[in-house]
Amino acid sequence: MPLKSTAPAPDAHRAARPSLDVDRIRRDFPILLREIGGKRIVYLDNPATTQKPRTVIDAIIHFYEHYNANVHRGAYKLAEEATAAYEGAREKTRAFLNAASTEEIIFTRGTTESINLAAYAWGRAYVSAGDEILVTEMEHHSNLVPWQILVKEKQAALKYIPIEDDGTIDLQKAVAGISPKTRLVAITHVSNVLGTVNPVCEIAKAAHSAGAVVLVDGAQSAPHMPVDVRALDCDFFALSGHKMCAPTGIGVLYVRKSVLETMPPFHGGGDMIRQVYRDHATWNDLPWKFEAGTPNIADAIGLGAAIDYLTGIGLDAIREHEIELTRYAIQRLSAVPSVTLYGPRDARLRAGVVSFNVGDIHPHDLATIVDSKLNVAIRAGHHCAQPLMNRLNVPATARAGFYLYNTEADVDSLVEGIVQAKEIFKV
Ligand code: 7TS
């Protein structure tokens, strides 16, 4: 599976052609102006969380300073404005994902809560003894543990689509894993470790013809490429706002209406009811049936501002920029002796996530050194994907992940930091 370090690729010296005006974009992000110890910050931990543009920060401040009120209940102007902005963010999210209706867009705290919602509300109603749930070996724990809990409770089984040595999924093996017992295929769109972009559309087709439903973990795709849930033909799609320039604490679960209509509620409480009697209750319309309690109004509005920002730049352009940066990073890193890269070699088969190891330097040491020397922020560890680490036969990796504000100079700083770490550890 590892891509052993090799000679520079033939086009290693060809300059990448950035398709974005990155200098202008960088000025939109106040934190990127910050220096530590007189040096700029090289932020490459984007798969963990992204930085926030001024427009998103301002949208949140504006809400609290001008129209803070609870939603869906006020008979006064502030509450009407808050409700309009909150529901406006839902419409922006619908358009962003090309969902058919805002009824299909549920606000959650993030991808983890979105997947748990699906596992509790849909899973407990529709999975029973002997059924199978199919995942891949590259899932984040958030798309594994909720299913492990469910299958244990229901005496069902969790099955794995294997991954190939190049970090991809073999479509034939994926399809072969789908059986008449399969109730759900839960698959990540983009691996947060390997960067692999999975063929979710083709897998969804096979799953549907076997009568199974499909959940796509979009935490690492929605921020970085155009997503169309109708073209993907998935039944569930989960994302986290904080990985796409929005604040923490806001996420989305898209659910196809025909599936959502059959689901019992997740949480009980305020806002999700129509009528409450002494011994039972009836449920609100979609999507509010799945949003119990006062929602995260400010951060949903922040998500709407982030969607405006990203669509203003263009998800196609962001995707192209990241492919160029990934290609450049793979070229530069594979030219450094002792660097092992993981994941597909072809930048077009992956998103802007590059995991690697350097000789026997522990990834945590590497991350500490590149930070202390050059303010390069990368993540080290198992990346909440321990079954994948076992498949790769490593305890941990270092990981750099790119976004619209990253540049080739950021990749150069990372490589320079790695070279310095190698000198320290004599690797
Ligand atoms: N799914 C994938 C593919 C992810 O990458 C993550 C977070 C999650 C789900 C969970 O998202 P959350 O917003 O609910 O926490 N991934 C990472 C990461 O790679 N480093 O930190 C968090």
Side-chain angles (χ1 to χ4, degrees):
M1 169 144 326
L3 296 168
K4 283 287 173 201
S5 73
T6 56
D11 57 347
H13 303 296
R14 204 188 65 198
R17 297 178 308 273
S19 41
L20 299 181
D21 183 353
V22 181
D23 284 344
R24 188 186 63 72
I25 288 170
R26 289 180 68 84
R27 288 197 292 275
D28 294 337
F29 290 79
I31 203 169
L32 298 179
L33 301 174
R34 188 173 166 204
E35 295 192 339
I36 300 177
K39 293 198 195 89
R40 72 191 189 96
I41 298 170
V42 179
Y43 186 78
L44 297 175
D45 197 18
N46 294 293
T49 200
T50 58
Q51 300 304 341
K52 319 304 174 198
R54 168 66 68 202
T55 51
V56 168
I57 298 166
D58 284 349
I60 299 163
I61 294 171
H62 188 72
F63 167 72
Y64 283 122
E65 286 187 350
H66 289 89
Y67 59 104
N68 174 50
N70 212 327
V71 290
H72 300 148
R73 61 199 78 200
Y76 52 91
K77 284 189 266 329
L78 290 186
E80 282 165 13
E81 287 176 23
T83 302
Y86 179 70
E87 293 302 331
R90 196 189 309 277
E91 166 54 25
K92 288 175 186 181
T93 308
R94 183 209 63 73
F96 184 70
L97 296 175
N98 195 31
S101 161
T102 50
E103 291 175 310
E104 301 176 315
I105 303 295
I106 302 166
F107 284 130
T108 64
R109 281 194 301 135
T111 303
T112 303
E113 189 177 80
S114 293
I115 296 173
N116 276 277
L117 192 164
Y120 279 85
W122 178 86
R124 269 150 193 75
Y126 291 102
V127 174
S128 30
D131 287 346
E132 292 177 1
I133 291 174
L134 189 60
V135 294
T136 76
E137 287 180 324
M138 65 172 88
E139 298 310 314
H140 186 281
H141 296 164
S142 292
N143 197 29
L144 283 180
V145 181
W147 308 119
Q148 289 175 344
I149 295 170
L150 177 68
V151 297
K152 191 156 182 221
E153 196 180 304
K154 298 287 188 176
Q155 275 106 48
L158 192 61
K159 300 275 171 168
Y160 283 82
I161 299 170
I163 59 173
E164 303 303 301
D165 287 345
D166 66 355
T168 60
I169 282 175
D170 178 327
L171 189 55
Q172 280 186 331
K173 289 185 193 167
V175 172
I178 301 170
S179 83
K181 292 184 189 167
T182 310
R183 284 287 147 272
L184 170 76
V185 180
I187 182 173
T188 194
H189 199 175
V190 168
S191 162
N192 68 320
V193 177
L194 303 169
T196 315
V197 182
N198 285 319
V200 288
C201 195
E202 292 79 357
I203 292 173
K205 203 169 285 166
H208 285 145
S209 48
V213 302
V214 176
L215 179 142
V216 175
D217 175 347
Q220 301 293 348
S221 64
H224 302 280
M225 59 187 68
V227 167
D228 179 333
V229 288
R230 281 188 275 178
L232 290 178
D233 201 20
C234 55
D235 302 285
F236 298 91
F237 187 95
L239 65 81
S240 294
H242 71 94
K243 295 186 196 291
M244 48 182 279
C245 295
T248 48
I250 188 74
V252 174
L253 180 64
Y254 156 83
V255 191
R256 187 198 298 274
K257 191 174 172 192
S258 56
V259 174
L260 195 56
E261 280 174 335
T262 69
M263 283 166 51
F266 177 34
H267 292 146
D271 226 20
M272 51 75 73
I273 55 88
R274 180 174 309 287
Q275 287 292 330
V276 179
Y277 306 90
R278 284 174 78 97
D279 59 350
H280 76 285
T282 57
W283 313 134
N284 200 346
D285 293 334
L286 300 176
W288 305 291
K289 172 180 167 184
F290 292 93
E291 290 182 3
T294 298
N296 186 350
I297 305 161
D299 295 322
I301 292 167
L303 174 62
I307 288 173
D308 285 343
Y309 181 78
L310 292 174
T311 50
I313 287 166
L315 271 294
D316 280 314
I318 293 169
R319 170 83 179 126
E320 285 306 314
H321 174 71
E322 292 180 21
I323 289 171
E324 290 298 339
L325 272 186
T326 306
R327 187 172 287 147
Y328 182 68
I330 290 174
Q331 285 171 0
R332 294 264 1 236
L333 288 167
S334 33
V336 179
S338 317
V339 167
T340 303
L341 286 168
Y342 304 94
R345 184 85 198 195
D346 180 349
R348 291 213 156 260
L349 299 179
R350 59 197 290 166
V353 181
V354 181
S355 282
F356 55 94
N357 270 308
V358 182
D360 57 3
I361 305 177
H362 194 283
H364 282 132
D365 291 332
L366 191 66
T368 305
I369 289 169
V370 298
D371 175 56
S372 65
K373 299 279 181 195
L374 293 159
N375 290 342
V376 176
I378 58 171
R379 185 169 173 196
H382 56 60
H383 313 292
C384 300
Q386 285 180 333
L388 175 60
M389 293 295 118
N390 290 337
R391 171 66 179 84
L392 298 176
N393 212 13
V394 291
T397 71
R399 180 190 68 185
F402 309 116
Y403 209 14
L404 69 169
Y405 38 68
N406 289 119
T407 62
E408 289 185 7
D410 293 344
V411 175
D412 293 340
S413 296
L414 172 66
V415 172
E416 169 61 23
I418 291 170
V419 169
Q420 292 192 21
K422 285 179 53 157
E423 279 161 15
I424 292 167
F425 282 94
K426 309 215 181 322
V427 168

